Amino acid sequence: MSRLSDLRFRAATAFQRRVGNPVLRRLPLQTVLETTGRVSGLPRPTPVGGRRVGNSFWLVSEFGERSQYVRNIKADPRVRVRIRGRWHTGTAHLLPDDDPVARLRTLPRFNSVGVRAFGTDLLTVRVDLDG
């Protein structure tokens, strides 16, 4: 990873951890992905942008496998997603062969712009929702 990419990663994750995520996850209509902490075993809610298509929820991780929630998914793919105020359980799948830039074109524009601007290692994630 280049020095500039590393700097962007550190700046973005510091802002998200201390400011963005604590505020956004409290908003009732914000989409939230809840994973299980790979070390603590505790629920880890993360605000995300994405879109439900049928029984799947699609999102793109801006830092790929460096994202904490992606690392948690690798340890335990069972997740919950809050969409429009309702929680859904499901199984997350990391899709490294999917084209994340093309996928972003199908997702909500506001979030996609931020992911493209700050992202350094995009990775598509699909959550297959139960029922």
Side-chain angles (χ1 to χ4, degrees):
M1 178 173 284
S2 74
R3 189 172 178 174
L4 178 59
S5 293
D6 189 52
L7 181 62
R8 283 193 342 204
F9 170 76
R10 288 173 183 256
T13 56
F15 175 80
Q16 289 168 344
R17 188 173 296 131
R18 291 182 180 89
V19 179
N21 290 358
V23 171
L24 289 174
R25 69 177 159 236
R26 286 179 174 78
L27 298 176
L29 295 180
Q30 170 66 46
T31 302
V32 175
L33 174 70
E34 184 182 85
T35 59
T36 301
R38 63 194 174 282
V39 176
S40 69
L42 298 173
R44 298 297 181 194
T46 304
V48 295
R51 173 168 283 144
R52 183 176 183 166
V53 179
N55 282 334
S56 296
F57 181 79
W58 293 85
L59 68 123
V60 174
S61 168
E62 62 190 329
F63 298 114
E65 295 193 15
R66 290 184 76 183
S67 294
Q68 297 300 316
Y69 68 88
V70 170
R71 295 171 75 189
N72 289 341
I73 287 169
K74 287 176 82 171
D76 181 1
R78 294 296 299 164
V79 300
R80 291 193 324 152
V81 183
R82 186 179 73 192
I83 305 168
R84 296 184 183 157
R86 257 186 92 217
W87 285 101
H88 306 270
T89 59
T91 304
H93 304 277
L94 306 178
L95 304 172
D97 294 332
D98 190 67
D99 181 355
V101 175
R103 182 69 55 193
L104 283 171
R105 290 188 200 109
T106 69
L107 300 178
R109 182 173 293 175
F110 181 74
N111 178 262
S112 296
V113 168
V115 169
R116 267 182 274 184
F118 295 105
T120 58
D121 188 22
L122 305 180
L123 175 65
T124 302
V125 179
R126 184 188 76 230
V127 178
D128 293 333
L129 304 172
D130 299 335

